[in-house]
Amino acid sequence: MIGKWSSLLILLLLLLGPMEFEVLGWGWQGGLVVFGRVYQPDGQPAVRAKVRIEIVNGFWREVWSDDQGKFEFRAIPAGRYRLAATNPEVAEQFSEPAESDSTRSFANRLQVDLYLRLPVKVGDGGRPPGGSSILVSVEEAGQKIPGGARKAYEQGMKLQRENEPVKALLQFDRAIEIFPGYYQALTERGNVRMARGLLSEAAGDFEQALRLNAQYALALRGLGYCQLQQRQFEAAIVSLEKAYAAAPEVPLTLVLLGYGNMLLDRIGLARQCFVEALRLDEKAAARAHVYLGEIEAKEGNYAAAAEQVRLYLGINTGGTGGTEIADTGALRQREEEWRQKAKSAKSAKRD
């Protein structure tokens, strides 16, 4: 079945967000399963951290993380909720609250990882200008990035934005040479290589970044994209599920995940991913309309298929403020073909 989808193009850019994921499975019958890990400020698992979940209707529960920092809540009712963790042995060590809702769950399971942090004092009064505490992430606090590496990384980011990929690569190379543990620079170098079609080299950068920080969602997403393009579909789905669990608010991850499932003819899961991506941000996930159209056409629903293409073209050819895309002509032709098939099917049914 894979050949039927091989002509589709993925025209996506990949976004940011940290976290780790354990392979998603079907949730326990009787409610949502919320699980994850708690991490110390040095990136190690937080053992015996207290994790609390609260739901807006007043429901709450607490559990302790195990010797690997893992926790799990079962039979959680649907609704909005928030999680937070504290370290009973170090009173000032806590996590920022993580808020979500049951609509973000995938297959009745949702991972939320928590990172214990320490307040950073600024100035004599221990407060920054404006009076609010500053929190430094685990990644920033633990890396101790040399100034020369940070400067090269920032210059590479600037050159990347200015569409100077060759110069950007040199800066990222420099940053990594100074600080080999700079997984952000490795990931950005992977992004530049990926954009230039150097998929094997890009995948190598993403894999190296993930050896340094297995929870870095941008590297997970980049690796998943490379694996899709290299036709490593099962591996791509694992990477993209991890990226989704890390940052469920990023619709493009769901589009990629849906595409991978579609390539493997897992149509139900693919449809679920595309619909959720469009719910989160229709403009950012607009290409999902085209893939949904392909699914509808495959199932013989040609009118619905044509409508999905119409919605996509409305977003990307000026209909709702979008811009012209490369395959507009081909998509318009496909829309018309499907409309003609829908009319033929309707006429045949009447006869």
Short mmCIF file of all heavy atoms in Angstrom, two decimals, residues 270-323:
data_model
loop_
_atom_site.label_atom_id
_atom_site.label_comp_id
_atom_site.label_asym_id
_atom_site.label_seq_id
_atom_site.Cartn_x
_atom_site.Cartn_y
_atom_site.Cartn_z
N ALA A 270 -3.75 7.71 11.25
CA ALA A 270 -3.36 8.85 10.42
C ALA A 270 -4.43 9.93 10.45
O ALA A 270 -4.14 11.12 10.64
CB ALA A 270 -3.12 8.38 8.98
N ARG A 271 -5.68 9.52 10.28
CA ARG A 271 -6.78 10.50 10.29
C ARG A 271 -6.84 11.23 11.64
O ARG A 271 -7.03 12.45 11.69
CB ARG A 271 -8.10 9.78 10.02
CG ARG A 271 -9.25 10.75 9.75
CD ARG A 271 -10.60 10.01 9.82
NE ARG A 271 -10.67 8.91 8.88
CZ ARG A 271 -11.09 9.03 7.62
NH1 ARG A 271 -11.47 10.21 7.17
NH2 ARG A 271 -11.14 7.97 6.83
N GLN A 272 -6.67 10.47 12.71
CA GLN A 272 -6.72 11.07 14.04
C GLN A 272 -5.64 12.14 14.19
O GLN A 272 -5.88 13.22 14.73
CB GLN A 272 -6.53 9.98 15.10
CG GLN A 272 -6.54 10.49 16.54
CD GLN A 272 -6.28 9.38 17.54
OE1 GLN A 272 -6.29 8.20 17.20
NE2 GLN A 272 -6.05 9.75 18.78
N CYS A 273 -4.43 11.85 13.72
CA CYS A 273 -3.34 12.81 13.81
C CYS A 273 -3.62 14.07 12.99
O CYS A 273 -3.40 15.19 13.45
CB CYS A 273 -2.03 12.16 13.33
SG CYS A 273 -1.39 10.89 14.43
N PHE A 274 -4.10 13.90 11.77
CA PHE A 274 -4.37 15.05 10.91
C PHE A 274 -5.47 15.94 11.48
O PHE A 274 -5.35 17.17 11.49
CB PHE A 274 -4.75 14.57 9.50
CG PHE A 274 -3.66 13.87 8.76
CD1 PHE A 274 -3.94 12.78 7.94
CD2 PHE A 274 -2.34 14.30 8.86
CE1 PHE A 274 -2.93 12.12 7.26
CE2 PHE A 274 -1.32 13.65 8.17
CZ PHE A 274 -1.62 12.56 7.37
N VAL A 275 -6.52 15.33 11.96
CA VAL A 275 -7.64 16.10 12.52
C VAL A 275 -7.19 16.88 13.74
O VAL A 275 -7.53 18.07 13.91
CB VAL A 275 -8.83 15.18 12.86
CG1 VAL A 275 -9.89 15.92 13.67
CG2 VAL A 275 -9.44 14.61 11.57
N GLU A 276 -6.40 16.24 14.61
CA GLU A 276 -5.92 16.93 15.81
C GLU A 276 -4.96 18.05 15.45
O GLU A 276 -4.99 19.13 16.05
CB GLU A 276 -5.23 15.92 16.74
CG GLU A 276 -4.59 16.53 17.97
CD GLU A 276 -5.57 17.20 18.91
OE1 GLU A 276 -6.80 17.03 18.72
OE2 GLU A 276 -5.12 17.88 19.85
N ALA A 277 -4.11 17.85 14.46
CA ALA A 277 -3.19 18.90 14.02
C ALA A 277 -3.96 20.13 13.53
O ALA A 277 -3.62 21.27 13.87
CB ALA A 277 -2.28 18.38 12.92
N LEU A 278 -5.01 19.90 12.75
CA LEU A 278 -5.81 21.01 12.24
C LEU A 278 -6.58 21.70 13.36
O LEU A 278 -6.79 22.92 13.31
CB LEU A 278 -6.78 20.50 11.16
CG LEU A 278 -6.10 20.06 9.86
CD1 LEU A 278 -7.07 19.27 8.99
CD2 LEU A 278 -5.58 21.27 9.08
N ARG A 279 -6.97 20.95 14.36
CA ARG A 279 -7.66 21.55 15.50
C ARG A 279 -6.73 22.50 16.26
O ARG A 279 -7.13 23.57 16.70
CB ARG A 279 -8.19 20.48 16.44
CG ARG A 279 -9.06 21.01 17.58
CD ARG A 279 -9.32 19.96 18.63
NE ARG A 279 -8.11 19.64 19.38
CZ ARG A 279 -7.64 20.39 20.38
NH1 ARG A 279 -8.26 21.50 20.74
NH2 ARG A 279 -6.54 20.04 21.02
N LEU A 280 -5.47 22.10 16.38
CA LEU A 280 -4.52 22.92 17.10
C LEU A 280 -4.20 24.22 16.37
O LEU A 280 -4.15 25.29 16.97
CB LEU A 280 -3.22 22.13 17.34
CG LEU A 280 -3.30 21.00 18.37
CD1 LEU A 280 -2.00 20.19 18.35
CD2 LEU A 280 -3.56 21.54 19.77
N ASP A 281 -3.95 24.12 15.06
CA ASP A 281 -3.59 25.31 14.28
C ASP A 281 -3.77 24.98 12.80
O ASP A 281 -2.90 24.38 12.18
CB ASP A 281 -2.16 25.73 14.57
CG ASP A 281 -1.79 27.06 13.93
OD1 ASP A 281 -2.42 27.45 12.92
OD2 ASP A 281 -0.87 27.72 14.44
N GLU A 282 -4.91 25.37 12.25
CA GLU A 282 -5.23 24.97 10.88
C GLU A 282 -4.23 25.51 9.87
O GLU A 282 -3.84 24.82 8.93
CB GLU A 282 -6.64 25.41 10.50
CG GLU A 282 -7.06 24.91 9.13
CD GLU A 282 -8.47 25.32 8.77
OE1 GLU A 282 -8.97 26.29 9.36
OE2 GLU A 282 -9.07 24.67 7.88
N LYS A 283 -3.79 26.75 10.05
CA LYS A 283 -2.87 27.33 9.08
C LYS A 283 -1.52 26.63 9.12
O LYS A 283 -0.95 26.30 8.07
CB LYS A 283 -2.70 28.82 9.35
CG LYS A 283 -1.89 29.53 8.27
CD LYS A 283 -1.90 31.03 8.47
CE LYS A 283 -1.11 31.73 7.37
NZ LYS A 283 -1.11 33.20 7.53
N ALA A 284 -0.99 26.40 10.33
CA ALA A 284 0.31 25.76 10.45
C ALA A 284 0.27 24.32 9.95
O ALA A 284 1.27 23.80 9.45
CB ALA A 284 0.78 25.80 11.90
N ALA A 285 -0.87 23.67 10.10
CA ALA A 285 -1.00 22.25 9.72
C ALA A 285 -1.79 22.08 8.43
O ALA A 285 -2.34 21.01 8.18
CB ALA A 285 -1.67 21.47 10.85
N ALA A 286 -1.83 23.11 7.60
CA ALA A 286 -2.72 23.10 6.44
C ALA A 286 -2.54 21.89 5.53
O ALA A 286 -3.50 21.38 4.96
CB ALA A 286 -2.53 24.38 5.63
N ARG A 287 -1.30 21.40 5.41
CA ARG A 287 -1.06 20.28 4.50
C ARG A 287 -1.85 19.03 4.91
O ARG A 287 -2.10 18.14 4.09
CB ARG A 287 0.43 19.96 4.46
CG ARG A 287 0.85 19.08 3.29
CD ARG A 287 0.83 19.84 1.98
NE ARG A 287 1.17 19.01 0.84
CZ ARG A 287 1.28 19.45 -0.40
NH1 ARG A 287 1.06 20.72 -0.66
NH2 ARG A 287 1.58 18.65 -1.39
N ALA A 288 -2.25 18.98 6.17
CA ALA A 288 -3.06 17.85 6.62
C ALA A 288 -4.36 17.74 5.83
O ALA A 288 -4.90 16.64 5.66
CB ALA A 288 -3.36 17.98 8.11
N HIS A 289 -4.88 18.87 5.33
CA HIS A 289 -6.09 18.82 4.50
C HIS A 289 -5.84 17.98 3.24
O HIS A 289 -6.72 17.20 2.82
CB HIS A 289 -6.51 20.24 4.10
CG HIS A 289 -7.25 20.99 5.15
ND1 HIS A 289 -8.42 20.51 5.72
CD2 HIS A 289 -7.00 22.19 5.72
CE1 HIS A 289 -8.87 21.40 6.60
NE2 HIS A 289 -8.03 22.41 6.62
N VAL A 290 -4.67 18.13 2.63
CA VAL A 290 -4.36 17.37 1.42
C VAL A 290 -4.30 15.88 1.73
O VAL A 290 -4.85 15.05 1.00
CB VAL A 290 -3.03 17.84 0.81
CG1 VAL A 290 -2.65 16.98 -0.40
CG2 VAL A 290 -3.12 19.31 0.39
N TYR A 291 -3.66 15.53 2.85
CA TYR A 291 -3.55 14.12 3.20
C TYR A 291 -4.91 13.53 3.56
O TYR A 291 -5.20 12.38 3.22
CB TYR A 291 -2.56 13.97 4.35
CG TYR A 291 -1.17 14.48 4.03
CD1 TYR A 291 -0.40 15.10 5.00
CD2 TYR A 291 -0.63 14.34 2.76
CE1 TYR A 291 0.87 15.58 4.71
CE2 TYR A 291 0.63 14.81 2.45
CZ TYR A 291 1.38 15.43 3.43
OH TYR A 291 2.63 15.90 3.13
N LEU A 292 -5.74 14.31 4.23
CA LEU A 292 -7.10 13.85 4.51
C LEU A 292 -7.87 13.65 3.21
O LEU A 292 -8.67 12.72 3.08
CB LEU A 292 -7.82 14.84 5.42
CG LEU A 292 -7.45 14.81 6.89
CD1 LEU A 292 -8.07 15.99 7.64
CD2 LEU A 292 -7.87 13.49 7.55
N GLY A 293 -7.60 14.52 2.23
CA GLY A 293 -8.22 14.35 0.92
C GLY A 293 -7.81 13.04 0.27
O GLY A 293 -8.65 12.33 -0.32
N GLU A 294 -6.54 12.70 0.39
CA GLU A 294 -6.06 11.43 -0.17
C GLU A 294 -6.76 10.24 0.49
O GLU A 294 -7.14 9.27 -0.17
CB GLU A 294 -4.54 11.31 0.01
CG GLU A 294 -3.72 12.31 -0.77
CD GLU A 294 -3.66 11.99 -2.24
OE1 GLU A 294 -4.01 10.85 -2.63
OE2 GLU A 294 -3.27 12.88 -3.02
N ILE A 295 -6.94 10.34 1.81
CA ILE A 295 -7.63 9.27 2.54
C ILE A 295 -9.09 9.15 2.08
O ILE A 295 -9.60 8.05 1.82
CB ILE A 295 -7.55 9.51 4.06
CG1 ILE A 295 -6.11 9.31 4.55
CG2 ILE A 295 -8.50 8.58 4.81
CD1 ILE A 295 -5.89 9.70 6.00
N GLU A 296 -9.76 10.29 1.97
CA GLU A 296 -11.16 10.28 1.53
C GLU A 296 -11.28 9.70 0.12
O GLU A 296 -12.20 8.90 -0.16
CB GLU A 296 -11.74 11.69 1.58
CG GLU A 296 -11.84 12.31 2.97
CD GLU A 296 -12.91 11.67 3.83
OE1 GLU A 296 -13.63 10.76 3.36
OE2 GLU A 296 -13.04 12.06 5.00
N ALA A 297 -10.39 10.08 -0.77
CA ALA A 297 -10.44 9.57 -2.13
C ALA A 297 -10.19 8.07 -2.16
O ALA A 297 -10.85 7.33 -2.91
CB ALA A 297 -9.41 10.29 -3.00
N LYS A 298 -9.26 7.60 -1.36
CA LYS A 298 -8.97 6.18 -1.29
C LYS A 298 -10.20 5.39 -0.84
O LYS A 298 -10.41 4.25 -1.26
CB LYS A 298 -7.80 5.94 -0.33
CG LYS A 298 -7.35 4.49 -0.20
CD LYS A 298 -6.09 4.42 0.67
CE LYS A 298 -5.58 2.99 0.77
NZ LYS A 298 -6.43 2.16 1.64
N GLU A 299 -11.02 6.02 0.00
CA GLU A 299 -12.23 5.37 0.49
C GLU A 299 -13.44 5.63 -0.40
O GLU A 299 -14.56 5.23 -0.07
CB GLU A 299 -12.51 5.85 1.92
CG GLU A 299 -11.43 5.41 2.91
CD GLU A 299 -11.63 5.96 4.31
OE1 GLU A 299 -12.47 6.89 4.47
OE2 GLU A 299 -10.98 5.48 5.26
N GLY A 300 -13.23 6.32 -1.53
CA GLY A 300 -14.30 6.57 -2.48
C GLY A 300 -15.15 7.77 -2.17
O GLY A 300 -16.17 8.00 -2.83
N ASN A 301 -14.75 8.59 -1.20
CA ASN A 301 -15.52 9.79 -0.82
C ASN A 301 -14.95 10.99 -1.57
O ASN A 301 -14.28 11.85 -0.99
CB ASN A 301 -15.45 10.00 0.69
CG ASN A 301 -15.94 8.80 1.47
OD1 ASN A 301 -16.92 8.17 1.09
ND2 ASN A 301 -15.25 8.48 2.55
N TYR A 302 -15.23 11.05 -2.88
CA TYR A 302 -14.56 12.03 -3.72
C TYR A 302 -14.99 13.47 -3.45
O TYR A 302 -14.18 14.40 -3.55
CB TYR A 302 -14.77 11.68 -5.20
CG TYR A 302 -14.12 10.38 -5.58
CD1 TYR A 302 -14.90 9.26 -5.88
CD2 TYR A 302 -12.75 10.26 -5.61
CE1 TYR A 302 -14.30 8.04 -6.22
CE2 TYR A 302 -12.15 9.05 -5.95
CZ TYR A 302 -12.93 7.95 -6.24
OH TYR A 302 -12.33 6.75 -6.56
N ALA A 303 -16.23 13.68 -3.09
CA ALA A 303 -16.68 15.04 -2.78
C ALA A 303 -15.96 15.56 -1.55
O ALA A 303 -15.50 16.71 -1.51
CB ALA A 303 -18.19 15.06 -2.57
N ALA A 304 -15.85 14.71 -0.52
CA ALA A 304 -15.14 15.11 0.70
C ALA A 304 -13.65 15.33 0.40
O ALA A 304 -13.02 16.24 0.96
CB ALA A 304 -15.32 14.04 1.78
N ALA A 305 -13.09 14.50 -0.48
CA ALA A 305 -11.68 14.65 -0.84
C ALA A 305 -11.43 15.99 -1.51
O ALA A 305 -10.47 16.71 -1.19
CB ALA A 305 -11.26 13.51 -1.76
N ALA A 306 -12.31 16.34 -2.47
CA ALA A 306 -12.17 17.61 -3.17
C ALA A 306 -12.30 18.78 -2.21
O ALA A 306 -11.60 19.80 -2.33
CB ALA A 306 -13.21 17.71 -4.27
N GLU A 307 -13.19 18.66 -1.23
CA GLU A 307 -13.39 19.74 -0.26
C GLU A 307 -12.14 19.95 0.58
O GLU A 307 -11.78 21.08 0.91
CB GLU A 307 -14.59 19.41 0.64
CG GLU A 307 -14.87 20.44 1.71
CD GLU A 307 -15.22 21.82 1.16
OE1 GLU A 307 -15.50 21.93 -0.06
OE2 GLU A 307 -15.21 22.77 1.95
N GLN A 308 -11.44 18.87 0.93
CA GLN A 308 -10.21 19.01 1.70
C GLN A 308 -9.16 19.78 0.90
O GLN A 308 -8.45 20.64 1.46
CB GLN A 308 -9.68 17.64 2.11
CG GLN A 308 -10.52 16.92 3.15
CD GLN A 308 -10.46 17.58 4.51
OE1 GLN A 308 -9.56 18.36 4.81
NE2 GLN A 308 -11.44 17.28 5.34
N VAL A 309 -9.03 19.50 -0.38
CA VAL A 309 -8.07 20.23 -1.20
C VAL A 309 -8.48 21.70 -1.31
O VAL A 309 -7.64 22.60 -1.27
CB VAL A 309 -7.94 19.59 -2.59
CG1 VAL A 309 -7.04 20.44 -3.49
CG2 VAL A 309 -7.37 18.19 -2.48
N ARG A 310 -9.78 21.94 -1.45
CA ARG A 310 -10.26 23.33 -1.52
C ARG A 310 -9.88 24.10 -0.26
O ARG A 310 -9.43 25.26 -0.33
CB ARG A 310 -11.78 23.36 -1.70
CG ARG A 310 -12.33 24.78 -1.93
CD ARG A 310 -13.85 24.82 -1.79
NE ARG A 310 -14.24 24.59 -0.41
CZ ARG A 310 -14.20 25.53 0.54
NH1 ARG A 310 -13.75 26.76 0.25
NH2 ARG A 310 -14.59 25.26 1.77
N LEU A 311 -10.03 23.47 0.90
CA LEU A 311 -9.67 24.12 2.16
C LEU A 311 -8.18 24.44 2.21
O LEU A 311 -7.77 25.52 2.63
CB LEU A 311 -10.06 23.22 3.33
CG LEU A 311 -11.55 23.06 3.59
CD1 LEU A 311 -11.81 21.96 4.61
CD2 LEU A 311 -12.16 24.38 4.07
N TYR A 312 -7.37 23.50 1.75
CA TYR A 312 -5.93 23.73 1.74
C TYR A 312 -5.55 24.88 0.81
O TYR A 312 -4.78 25.77 1.18
CB TYR A 312 -5.20 22.46 1.31
CG TYR A 312 -3.72 22.67 1.13
CD1 TYR A 312 -2.88 22.81 2.23
CD2 TYR A 312 -3.15 22.72 -0.15
CE1 TYR A 312 -1.52 23.01 2.08
CE2 TYR A 312 -1.79 22.92 -0.31
CZ TYR A 312 -0.98 23.06 0.80
OH TYR A 312 0.37 23.27 0.63
N LEU A 313 -6.10 24.88 -0.39
CA LEU A 313 -5.76 25.94 -1.34
C LEU A 313 -6.26 27.29 -0.86
O LEU A 313 -5.64 28.32 -1.12
CB LEU A 313 -6.36 25.60 -2.71
CG LEU A 313 -5.72 24.40 -3.43
CD1 LEU A 313 -6.50 24.06 -4.68
CD2 LEU A 313 -4.27 24.69 -3.77
N GLY A 314 -7.37 27.30 -0.14
CA GLY A 314 -7.85 28.55 0.43
C GLY A 314 -6.87 29.15 1.41
O GLY A 314 -6.73 30.38 1.50
N ILE A 315 -6.17 28.31 2.14
CA ILE A 315 -5.19 28.79 3.11
C ILE A 315 -3.89 29.19 2.41
O ILE A 315 -3.27 30.19 2.77
CB ILE A 315 -4.90 27.69 4.16
CG1 ILE A 315 -6.14 27.43 4.99
CG2 ILE A 315 -3.73 28.09 5.06
CD1 ILE A 315 -6.04 26.22 5.89
N ASN A 316 -3.50 28.46 1.37
CA ASN A 316 -2.16 28.63 0.81
C ASN A 316 -2.09 29.33 -0.53
O ASN A 316 -1.03 29.40 -1.13
CB ASN A 316 -1.48 27.25 0.70
CG ASN A 316 -1.03 26.75 2.05
OD1 ASN A 316 -0.01 27.16 2.56
ND2 ASN A 316 -1.83 25.88 2.65
N THR A 317 -3.20 29.82 -1.04
CA THR A 317 -3.13 30.59 -2.30
C THR A 317 -3.86 31.93 -2.16
O THR A 317 -4.41 32.44 -3.11
CB THR A 317 -3.74 29.81 -3.47
OG1 THR A 317 -5.10 29.48 -3.16
CG2 THR A 317 -2.96 28.55 -3.74
N GLY A 318 -3.87 32.47 -0.94
CA GLY A 318 -4.42 33.79 -0.74
C GLY A 318 -5.84 33.84 -0.26
O GLY A 318 -6.34 34.89 0.13
N GLY A 319 -6.53 32.71 -0.26
CA GLY A 319 -7.93 32.72 0.14
C GLY A 319 -8.16 33.14 1.57
O GLY A 319 -9.14 33.80 1.88
N THR A 320 -7.22 32.77 2.46
CA THR A 320 -7.33 33.20 3.85
C THR A 320 -6.01 33.81 4.32
O THR A 320 -5.57 33.63 5.43
CB THR A 320 -7.70 32.02 4.77
OG1 THR A 320 -6.69 31.00 4.62
CG2 THR A 320 -9.04 31.44 4.44
N GLY A 321 -5.38 34.53 3.43
CA GLY A 321 -4.15 35.21 3.79
C GLY A 321 -2.90 34.39 3.60
O GLY A 321 -1.82 34.78 4.02
N GLY A 322 -3.00 33.26 2.93
CA GLY A 322 -1.83 32.41 2.73
C GLY A 322 -1.04 32.86 1.53
O GLY A 322 -1.28 33.89 0.92
N THR A 323 -0.05 32.08 1.16
CA THR A 323 0.81 32.39 0.02
C THR A 323 0.79 31.24 -0.97
O THR A 323 0.46 30.12 -0.64
CB THR A 323 2.26 32.62 0.49
OG1 THR A 323 2.70 31.46 1.20
CG2 THR A 323 2.34 33.82 1.41
#
